[in-house]
Amino acid sequence: MSVSEMFAALQGALGQDQDIREEIRKVVQALEQTAREILTLLQGVHQGPGFQHISKKCQKAREHFGTVRTQMESLKTKFPADQYYRFHEHWRFVLQRLVFLAAFVVYLESETLVTREAVAEILGIEADRERGFHLDIEDYLSGVLTLASELARLAVNSVTAGDYSRPLRISAFINELDSGFRLLNLKNDSLRKRYDGLKYDVKKIEEVVYDLSIRGLNKEATVSAGGEK
C-alpha cells in the first residue's frame, strides 16, 4: 500500500468517526433542550405559589422524562455499543444535569435520595456497565451534588414563602448526604472539587436553620415538621 493509499484509508476512518460524533451531537442537543424544559418547570417551586403545586410540577416533569427516554434510545444507536467511553464526553454534562433533575423530582415527591438504579430507570438506560449504555457512578454523584446546591437554595426560598419546617428537613437530608460522601475516597479531580462545594451548601442551610431559631420560628417549624410535608 502506498503512502497516499494509507492516508486515504485514514481519512475514511476519520470521516466515519466525525459522522458518528455529529449524529451524537444532534441527539445531545435535543436532550439538552428537554433538560432545559424540565429545569424551567421545576424552578417554579422556588416561587411562593410554586410550593402549592409541587406534585403537579413533578408529574409534568415525569412526562418530560418520557421524552428523555425516547431520546436516549436514539442516542444508543449512534455509536458502537463497545465504544461508550470513547464518546462519553459528548453526553457527560447533559447526563449529569438529567441525574440532578431526576433526583430533584424524587426529592420533591418523597424527600428521599434517589438511587442510581432508579435514576437509570427514569432515564431509560442501564445501571450496570456490562449491559451497555449506562449511568456512570461519577455522573450519578455529580448530579447528586447539584441537587444539594438546589436544596440549599430551596431552603432559603422556603422561609420566604412562609414554610419554616422544610429547611429543617432539608438540613437533616443534606447532613446525611454529606456523611455519605465522607465515606467515599474520591480521586476524580472534577468530582472532588464539586464535593468540596458541598460544605458551603451545608453551611448555607445551617445559617437558615439558625436564623429560624433566633427568630423563634423553629418551634413552629418543629411542630409543622410532624405534619404535612
Side-chain angles (χ1 to χ4, degrees):
M1 181 182 294
S2 66
V3 171
S4 60
E5 289 174 335
M6 290 173 57
F7 275 83
L10 292 174
Q11 176 56 39
L14 287 173
Q16 185 178 22
D17 188 74
Q18 290 172 354
D19 289 342
I20 292 175
R21 294 180 186 279
E22 178 61 23
E23 289 299 312
I24 291 175
R25 186 185 65 81
K26 291 178 182 178
V27 181
V28 169
Q29 285 182 332
L31 281 167
E32 289 172 343
Q33 176 60 35
T34 305
R36 284 192 292 269
E37 292 172 359
I38 298 173
L39 180 60
T40 300
L41 175 64
L42 294 178
Q43 288 301 294
V45 304
H46 290 286
Q47 302 170 1
F51 282 92
Q52 303 172 12
H53 307 290
I54 287 179
S55 61
K56 291 182 179 180
K57 291 182 181 299
C58 289
Q59 182 179 356
K60 290 182 179 179
R62 284 191 175 272
E63 292 174 1
H64 282 291
F65 277 112
T67 301
V68 169
R69 287 190 291 272
T70 299
Q71 292 166 339
M72 283 293 185
E73 285 299 322
S74 176
L75 181 58
K76 295 174 187 178
T77 67
K78 303 304 181 184
F79 64 97
D82 60 346
Q83 296 185 21
Y84 176 90
Y85 283 106
R86 181 180 181 185
F87 301 103
H88 183 215
E89 288 300 322
H90 289 278
W91 59 74
R92 175 189 288 272
F93 176 79
V94 70
L95 189 56
Q96 292 175 359
R97 174 60 62 87
L98 289 168
V99 170
F100 149 61
L101 294 171
F104 194 27
V105 168
V106 171
Y107 179 83
L108 290 173
E109 291 174 337
S110 62
E111 297 191 357
T112 60
L113 177 63
V114 69
T115 64
R116 185 164 67 97
E117 291 75 15
V119 175
E121 183 177 354
I122 291 172
L123 301 183
I125 58 180
E126 302 292 342
D128 299 326
R129 178 186 302 185
E130 293 75 14
R131 301 184 65 178
F133 195 106
H134 63 283
L135 176 56
D136 187 83
I137 293 177
E138 293 180 354
D139 290 338
Y140 166 74
L141 293 175
S142 292
V144 169
L145 288 171
T146 304
L147 170 67
S149 297
E150 190 73 8
L151 291 181
R153 179 186 172 205
L154 184 62
V156 174
N157 292 328
S158 296
V159 176
T160 303
D163 186 347
Y164 304 130
S165 63
R166 190 178 298 272
L168 297 181
R169 302 197 303 272
I170 291 177
S171 178
F173 176 82
I174 292 297
N175 278 299
E176 187 175 1
L177 193 64
D178 183 46
S179 298
F181 269 94
R182 291 179 185 275
L183 297 175
L184 303 178
N185 181 21
L186 299 177
K187 297 182 179 180
N188 178 286
D189 291 339
S190 175
L191 187 58
R192 177 69 195 187
K193 290 178 180 178
R194 296 193 66 178
Y195 166 63
D196 288 342
L198 180 58
K199 62 183 178 182
Y200 297 106
D201 296 324
V202 172
K203 181 179 179 181
K204 184 176 181 179
I205 296 171
E206 287 177 344
E207 289 174 349
V208 173
V209 173
Y210 175 73
D211 184 61
L212 288 173
S213 176
I214 63 175
R215 291 165 59 189
L217 297 173
N218 60 324
K219 295 179 180 180
E220 178 183 341
T222 301
V223 174
S224 299
E228 184 178 357
K229 295 182 179 179

Coordinates of all heavy atoms in Angstrom, one line a residue, residues 71-131:
Q71 N -35.3 9.9 23.5 CA -34.0 10.5 23.0 C -32.8 9.6 23.4 O -31.9 9.5 22.6 CB -33.9 11.9 23.5 CG -34.9 12.8 23.0 CD -35.0 14.2 23.7 OE1 -34.6 14.3 24.9 NE2 -35.5 15.2 23.1
M72 N -32.9 9.0 24.6 CA -31.8 8.1 25.0 C -31.7 6.9 24.1 O -30.6 6.4 23.7 CB -31.9 7.7 26.4 CG -31.5 8.8 27.4 SD -29.8 9.1 27.4 CE -29.6 10.3 28.7
E73 N -32.9 6.4 23.7 CA -32.9 5.2 22.8 C -32.3 5.6 21.5 O -31.6 4.7 20.9 CB -34.4 4.8 22.6 CG -35.0 4.0 23.8 CD -34.3 2.8 24.1 OE1 -33.8 2.1 23.2 OE2 -34.1 2.4 25.3
S74 N -32.5 6.8 21.0 CA -31.9 7.2 19.8 C -30.4 7.3 19.9 O -29.7 6.9 19.0 CB -32.5 8.6 19.4 OG -31.9 9.1 18.2
L75 N -30.0 7.9 21.1 CA -28.5 8.1 21.3 C -27.8 6.7 21.3 O -26.7 6.7 20.8 CB -28.3 8.8 22.6 CG -26.9 9.1 23.0 CD1 -26.2 9.9 21.9 CD2 -26.8 9.8 24.4
K76 N -28.4 5.7 21.8 CA -27.8 4.4 21.9 C -27.4 3.8 20.5 O -26.5 3.0 20.4 CB -28.7 3.4 22.6 CG -28.9 3.8 24.1 CD -30.0 2.8 24.7 CE -30.4 3.2 26.1 NZ -31.4 2.2 26.6
T77 N -28.2 4.3 19.5 CA -28.0 3.7 18.2 C -26.9 4.5 17.4 O -26.6 4.1 16.2 CB -29.3 3.7 17.4 OG1 -29.7 5.1 17.1 CG2 -30.4 3.1 18.2
K78 N -26.4 5.5 17.9 CA -25.5 6.4 17.1 C -24.0 6.0 17.2 O -23.2 6.6 16.5 CB -25.6 7.9 17.6 CG -27.1 8.4 17.5 CD -27.7 8.3 16.1 CE -29.1 8.9 16.1 NZ -29.7 8.7 14.7
F79 N -23.7 5.1 18.0 CA -22.3 4.7 18.1 C -22.2 3.2 18.5 O -23.1 2.6 19.0 CB -21.5 5.5 19.2 CG -22.1 5.3 20.6 CD1 -21.5 4.4 21.4 CD2 -23.2 6.0 21.0 CE1 -22.0 4.2 22.7 CE2 -23.7 5.8 22.3 CZ -23.1 4.9 23.1
P80 N -21.0 2.5 18.2 CA -20.9 1.1 18.5 C -21.0 0.9 20.0 O -20.5 1.7 20.8 CB -19.4 0.8 18.1 CG -19.2 1.8 17.0 CD -19.9 3.1 17.4
A81 N -21.7 -0.1 20.4 CA -22.0 -0.4 21.8 C -20.8 -0.5 22.7 O -20.8 -0.2 23.9 CB -22.9 -1.6 22.0
D82 N -19.7 -1.0 22.1 CA -18.5 -1.2 22.9 C -17.6 0.0 23.0 O -16.5 0.0 23.5 CB -17.7 -2.4 22.4 CG -17.2 -2.1 20.9 OD1 -17.8 -1.2 20.3 OD2 -16.4 -2.9 20.4
Q83 N -18.1 1.2 22.5 CA -17.3 2.4 22.5 C -17.9 3.5 23.3 O -17.8 4.7 23.0 CB -17.0 2.9 21.1 CG -16.2 1.9 20.2 CD -15.9 2.4 18.8 OE1 -15.9 3.6 18.6 NE2 -15.6 1.5 17.9
Y84 N -18.5 3.1 24.4 CA -19.2 4.1 25.3 C -18.3 5.2 25.8 O -18.6 6.4 25.7 CB -19.8 3.3 26.5 CG -20.5 4.2 27.5 CD1 -21.8 4.5 27.4 CD2 -19.7 4.7 28.6 CE1 -22.4 5.3 28.4 CE2 -20.3 5.5 29.6 CZ -21.7 5.8 29.5 OH -22.3 6.6 30.4
Y85 N -17.2 4.8 26.3 CA -16.3 5.8 26.9 C -15.5 6.6 25.9 O -14.9 7.6 26.2 CB -15.3 5.1 27.9 CG -16.0 4.8 29.2 CD1 -16.3 3.5 29.5 CD2 -16.3 5.8 30.1 CE1 -17.0 3.2 30.7 CE2 -17.0 5.5 31.3 CZ -17.3 4.2 31.6 OH -18.0 3.9 32.8
R86 N -15.5 6.1 24.6 CA -14.8 6.9 23.6 C -15.6 8.1 23.3 O -15.0 9.2 23.0 CB -14.7 6.0 22.3 CG -14.0 6.8 21.2 CD -13.9 5.9 20.0 NE -13.2 6.6 18.9 CZ -13.1 6.1 17.6 NH1 -13.6 4.9 17.4 NH2 -12.4 6.8 16.7
F87 N -16.9 8.1 23.4 CA -17.8 9.2 23.1 C -18.4 9.8 24.3 O -19.3 10.7 24.2 CB -18.8 8.8 22.1 CG -18.2 8.3 20.8 CD1 -18.2 6.9 20.5 CD2 -17.7 9.1 19.8 CE1 -17.7 6.4 19.3 CE2 -17.2 8.7 18.7 CZ -17.2 7.3 18.4
H88 N -18.1 9.3 25.5 CA -18.8 9.7 26.7 C -18.8 11.2 27.0 O -19.8 11.7 27.5 CB -18.0 9.0 27.9 CG -18.7 9.2 29.2 ND1 -18.0 9.3 30.4 CD2 -20.0 9.4 29.6 CE1 -18.8 9.5 31.4 NE2 -20.0 9.6 31.0
E89 N -17.7 11.9 26.6 CA -17.6 13.3 26.9 C -18.7 14.1 26.2 O -19.1 15.2 26.6 CB -16.3 13.8 26.5 CG -15.1 13.4 27.4 CD -15.4 13.8 28.9 OE1 -15.9 15.0 29.1 OE2 -15.0 13.1 29.8
H90 N -19.3 13.5 25.1 CA -20.3 14.3 24.4 C -21.6 14.4 25.2 O -22.3 15.4 25.0 CB -20.6 13.6 23.1 CG -19.5 13.7 22.1 ND1 -19.3 14.8 21.2 CD2 -18.4 12.8 21.7 CE1 -18.2 14.6 20.5 NE2 -17.7 13.4 20.8
W91 N -21.9 13.4 26.0 CA -23.2 13.5 26.7 C -23.0 13.5 28.2 O -24.0 13.6 29.0 CB -24.1 12.3 26.4 CG -23.4 10.9 26.7 CD1 -23.2 10.4 27.9 CD2 -22.9 10.0 25.7 NE1 -22.6 9.1 27.8 CE2 -22.4 8.9 26.4 CE3 -22.7 10.0 24.3 CZ2 -21.8 7.8 25.8 CZ3 -22.1 9.0 23.7 CH2 -21.6 7.9 24.5
R92 N -21.8 13.6 28.7 CA -21.5 13.6 30.1 C -22.2 14.8 30.9 O -22.9 14.5 31.9 CB -20.0 13.7 30.4 CG -19.7 13.9 31.9 CD -18.2 14.2 32.1 NE -17.4 13.0 31.9 CZ -17.1 12.1 32.8 NH1 -17.6 12.2 34.0 NH2 -16.3 11.1 32.5
F93 N -22.1 16.0 30.3 CA -22.7 17.1 31.0 C -24.2 17.0 31.1 O -24.8 17.2 32.1 CB -22.3 18.4 30.3 CG -23.0 19.6 30.9 CD1 -22.5 20.2 32.1 CD2 -24.1 20.2 30.3 CE1 -23.1 21.3 32.6 CE2 -24.7 21.3 30.8 CZ -24.2 21.9 32.0
V94 N -24.9 16.7 29.9 CA -26.3 16.7 29.9 C -26.8 15.5 30.8 O -27.9 15.6 31.4 CB -26.9 16.6 28.5 CG1 -26.6 15.2 27.8 CG2 -28.4 16.8 28.5
L95 N -26.1 14.4 30.8 CA -26.5 13.2 31.6 C -26.4 13.6 33.1 O -27.3 13.3 33.9 CB -25.6 12.0 31.4 CG -26.0 10.7 32.0 CD1 -27.4 10.3 31.6 CD2 -25.0 9.6 31.6
Q96 N -25.4 14.3 33.5 CA -25.3 14.8 34.9 C -26.4 15.7 35.2 O -27.0 15.7 36.3 CB -23.9 15.5 35.2 CG -22.8 14.5 35.1 CD -21.4 15.3 35.2 OE1 -21.4 16.5 35.3 NE2 -20.3 14.5 35.2
R97 N -26.8 16.6 34.3 CA -27.9 17.5 34.5 C -29.2 16.7 34.7 O -30.1 17.1 35.5 CB -28.0 18.5 33.3 CG -29.2 19.4 33.4 CD -29.3 20.3 34.6 NE -28.1 21.2 34.7 CZ -28.0 22.4 34.1 NH1 -29.1 22.8 33.4 NH2 -27.0 23.1 34.3
L98 N -29.4 15.7 33.9 CA -30.6 14.9 33.9 C -30.7 14.1 35.2 O -31.8 13.9 35.8 CB -30.7 14.0 32.7 CG -31.0 14.6 31.4 CD1 -30.8 13.7 30.2 CD2 -32.4 15.2 31.3
V99 N -29.5 13.6 35.7 CA -29.5 13.0 37.0 C -30.0 13.9 38.1 O -30.8 13.5 39.0 CB -28.1 12.5 37.3 CG1 -28.0 12.0 38.8 CG2 -27.7 11.3 36.4
F100 N -29.4 15.1 38.1 CA -29.9 16.1 39.0 C -31.4 16.4 39.0 O -32.1 16.4 40.0 CB -29.1 17.4 38.8 CG -29.9 18.7 39.2 CD1 -30.3 18.9 40.5 CD2 -30.2 19.6 38.2 CE1 -31.1 20.0 40.8 CE2 -31.0 20.7 38.5 CZ -31.4 20.9 39.8
L101 N -31.9 16.5 37.8 CA -33.3 16.8 37.6 C -34.2 15.6 38.1 O -35.2 15.8 38.8 CB -33.6 17.1 36.2 CG -33.0 18.4 35.6 CD1 -33.2 18.5 34.1 CD2 -33.6 19.6 36.3
A102 N -33.7 14.4 37.8 CA -34.5 13.2 38.3 C -34.4 13.1 39.8 O -35.4 12.8 40.5 CB -33.9 11.9 37.7
A103 N -33.2 13.4 40.4 CA -33.1 13.4 41.8 C -33.9 14.5 42.5 O -34.5 14.3 43.6 CB -31.6 13.6 42.2
F104 N -34.0 15.6 41.9 CA -34.8 16.7 42.4 C -36.3 16.4 42.4 O -37.0 16.6 43.4 CB -34.6 18.0 41.6 CG -35.1 19.3 42.2 CD1 -35.2 19.4 43.6 CD2 -35.4 20.4 41.4 CE1 -35.6 20.6 44.2 CE2 -35.9 21.5 42.0 CZ -36.0 21.6 43.4
V105 N -36.8 15.8 41.4 CA -38.2 15.3 41.3 C -38.5 14.3 42.4 O -39.5 14.5 43.1 CB -38.5 14.7 39.9 CG1 -39.8 14.0 40.0 CG2 -38.5 15.8 38.9
V106 N -37.6 13.3 42.6 CA -37.8 12.3 43.6 C -37.8 12.9 45.0 O -38.6 12.6 45.9 CB -36.8 11.2 43.5 CG1 -36.8 10.2 44.7 CG2 -37.0 10.4 42.2
Y107 N -36.8 13.9 45.2 CA -36.8 14.5 46.5 C -38.1 15.3 46.8 O -38.6 15.2 47.9 CB -35.6 15.5 46.6 CG -35.6 16.1 48.0 CD1 -35.0 15.5 49.1 CD2 -36.2 17.4 48.2 CE1 -35.1 16.1 50.3 CE2 -36.2 18.0 49.4 CZ -35.7 17.3 50.5 OH -35.7 17.9 51.7
L108 N -38.5 16.1 45.8 CA -39.8 16.8 46.0 C -41.0 15.9 46.3 O -41.9 16.3 47.0 CB -40.0 17.7 44.8 CG -39.0 18.9 44.5 CD1 -39.3 19.5 43.2 CD2 -39.1 19.9 45.6
E109 N -40.9 14.7 45.7 CA -42.1 13.8 45.9 C -42.0 13.1 47.2 O -43.0 12.9 47.9 CB -42.0 12.8 44.7 CG -42.4 13.3 43.4 CD -42.2 12.3 42.3 OE1 -41.5 11.3 42.5 OE2 -42.8 12.4 41.2
S110 N -40.8 12.7 47.6 CA -40.7 11.9 48.8 C -39.7 12.3 49.8 O -39.6 11.7 50.9 CB -40.4 10.4 48.4 OG -39.1 10.4 47.7
E111 N -38.9 13.3 49.5 CA -37.8 13.8 50.4 C -36.8 12.7 50.7 O -36.3 12.6 51.8 CB -38.4 14.5 51.6 CG -39.2 15.7 51.3 CD -39.6 16.5 52.5 OE1 -39.2 16.1 53.7 OE2 -40.2 17.6 52.3
T112 N -36.5 11.9 49.7 CA -35.5 10.9 49.8 C -34.5 11.0 48.7 O -34.8 11.7 47.7 CB -36.2 9.5 49.8 OG1 -36.8 9.3 48.5 CG2 -37.1 9.3 50.9
L113 N -33.4 10.3 48.9 CA -32.4 10.3 47.8 C -32.6 9.2 46.8 O -32.7 8.0 47.2 CB -31.0 10.2 48.4 CG -29.8 10.1 47.4 CD1 -29.7 11.4 46.7 CD2 -28.5 9.8 48.2
V114 N -32.7 9.6 45.6 CA -32.9 8.6 44.6 C -31.7 7.7 44.4 O -30.6 8.2 44.5 CB -33.3 9.2 43.2 CG1 -32.1 10.0 42.6 CG2 -33.9 8.2 42.2
T115 N -31.9 6.4 44.1 CA -30.8 5.5 43.9 C -30.3 5.6 42.5 O -31.0 6.1 41.6 CB -31.2 4.1 44.2 OG1 -32.2 3.7 43.2 CG2 -31.7 3.9 45.6
R116 N -29.1 5.2 42.2 CA -28.5 5.2 40.9 C -29.4 4.3 40.0 O -29.6 4.7 38.8 CB -27.1 4.7 40.9 CG -26.4 4.8 39.5 CD -24.9 4.7 39.6 NE -24.5 3.4 40.0 CZ -24.0 2.5 39.2 NH1 -24.0 2.7 37.9 NH2 -23.6 1.3 39.7
E117 N -29.8 3.2 40.5 CA -30.7 2.3 39.7 C -32.0 2.9 39.3 O -32.5 2.8 38.2 CB -30.9 1.0 40.5 CG -29.7 0.1 40.7 CD -28.7 0.6 41.7 OE1 -29.1 1.5 42.5 OE2 -27.6 0.2 41.8
A118 N -32.6 3.7 40.3 CA -33.8 4.4 40.0 C -33.7 5.5 38.9 O -34.5 5.7 38.1 CB -34.4 4.9 41.3
V119 N -32.5 6.2 39.0 CA -32.3 7.3 38.0 C -32.1 6.6 36.7 O -32.7 7.1 35.7 CB -31.0 8.1 38.4 CG1 -30.7 9.0 37.3 CG2 -31.2 8.8 39.7
A120 N -31.4 5.5 36.6 CA -31.2 4.9 35.3 C -32.5 4.5 34.7 O -32.7 4.6 33.5 CB -30.3 3.6 35.5
E121 N -33.4 4.0 35.5 CA -34.7 3.6 35.1 C -35.5 4.8 34.5 O -36.2 4.7 33.5 CB -35.5 2.9 36.2 CG -36.9 2.4 35.7 CD -37.6 1.6 36.8 OE1 -37.0 1.4 37.9 OE2 -38.8 1.3 36.6
I122 N -35.4 5.9 35.3 CA -36.1 7.1 34.9 C -35.6 7.6 33.5 O -36.4 8.1 32.7 CB -36.0 8.2 35.9 CG1 -36.7 7.9 37.2 CG2 -36.4 9.6 35.4 CD1 -36.4 8.8 38.4
L123 N -34.3 7.5 33.3 CA -33.7 8.0 32.1 C -33.8 6.9 30.9 O -33.4 7.3 29.8 CB -32.3 8.4 32.3 CG -32.0 9.4 33.4 CD1 -30.5 9.8 33.5 CD2 -32.8 10.7 33.1
G124 N -34.1 5.7 31.2 CA -34.2 4.7 30.2 C -32.9 4.1 29.8 O -32.7 3.7 28.7
I125 N -31.9 4.1 30.8 CA -30.6 3.5 30.5 C -30.3 2.4 31.5 O -31.1 2.2 32.4 CB -29.5 4.6 30.5 CG1 -29.5 5.3 31.8 CG2 -29.8 5.6 29.3 CD1 -28.4 6.4 31.8
E126 N -29.1 1.9 31.5 CA -28.8 0.8 32.4 C -28.0 1.3 33.6 O -27.4 2.4 33.5 CB -27.9 -0.2 31.7 CG -28.6 -0.9 30.5 CD -29.8 -1.7 30.8 OE1 -29.9 -2.1 32.0 OE2 -30.6 -2.0 29.9
A127 N -28.0 0.6 34.7 CA -27.2 0.9 35.8 C -25.8 0.2 35.8 O -24.8 0.7 36.3 CB -27.9 0.6 37.1
D128 N -25.8 -1.0 35.1 CA -24.6 -1.8 35.1 C -23.9 -1.6 33.8 O -24.5 -1.6 32.7 CB -25.0 -3.3 35.2 CG -25.7 -3.6 36.5 OD1 -25.3 -3.0 37.5 OD2 -26.6 -4.5 36.6
R129 N -22.6 -1.4 33.9 CA -21.8 -1.2 32.7 C -21.8 -2.3 31.7 O -21.8 -2.1 30.5 CB -20.3 -0.9 33.1 CG -19.3 -0.7 32.0 CD -17.9 -0.7 32.5 NE -17.7 0.4 33.5 CZ -16.5 0.7 34.0 NH1 -15.4 0.1 33.6 NH2 -16.4 1.7 34.8
E130 N -21.9 -3.5 32.2 CA -21.9 -4.7 31.4 C -23.1 -4.8 30.5 O -23.1 -5.5 29.5 CB -21.8 -6.0 32.2 CG -20.5 -6.1 33.0 CD -20.4 -5.2 34.2 OE1 -21.5 -4.6 34.6 OE2 -19.3 -5.1 34.8
R131 N -24.1 -4.0 30.8 CA -25.4 -4.1 30.0 C -25.5 -3.1 28.9 O -26.5 -3.0 28.3 CB -26.6 -4.1 30.9 CG -26.6 -5.2 32.0 CD -27.8 -5.2 32.9 NE -29.0 -5.5 32.1 CZ -30.2 -5.6 32.6 NH1 -30.4 -5.4 33.9 NH2 -31.3 -5.8 31.9

